[in-house]
Amino acid sequence: MSNTLDRPRTTLVRWIATVHYRTAGGLVDVQHDLEEIEELQNLVEQGPHWDTIERIDIVRADGCERQLTVEEAAQL
């Protein structure tokens, strides 16, 4: 089962965080689309008890203009 937090269309989605919660029936994945990673703290606090979290995966949202190396980014 997967849930997605809907964001207003005007909000930039830069990160996708998937919180994996342990339940009696197995893991339940809840996806959050974020503009800033700091938004995740409040979303986790509002969800099921944080001791039920198996793990949290955070990835960049699709549509990155370009994939930089660390060295390329340092020169920007």
Side-chain angles (χ1 to χ4, degrees):
M1 175 202 277
S2 179
N3 298 320
T4 301
L5 176 68
D6 293 323
R7 308 284 289 182
R9 290 185 189 273
T10 57
T11 301
L12 174 66
V13 176
R14 295 175 47 207
W15 305 99
I16 299 172
T18 305
V19 184
H20 304 271
Y21 293 97
R22 288 183 299 278
T23 71
L27 287 181
V28 172
D29 303 339
V30 179
Q31 180 177 308
H32 299 288
D33 298 338
L34 310 169
E35 181 173 358
E36 300 294 339
I37 291 176
E38 67 188 23
E39 298 170 36
L40 185 58
Q41 178 177 341
N42 289 335
L43 295 169
V44 167
E45 292 292 336
Q46 294 170 13
H49 194 284
W50 55 272
D51 280 340
T52 66
I53 295 173
E54 174 77 21
R55 71 180 188 278
I56 300 174
D57 300 318
I58 302 173
V59 296
R60 284 286 309 265
D62 290 337
C64 293
E65 296 171 11
R66 132 179 206 213
Q67 294 182 354
L68 296 173
T69 64
V70 172
E71 294 79 11
E72 291 171 328
Q75 294 181 15
L76 293 178

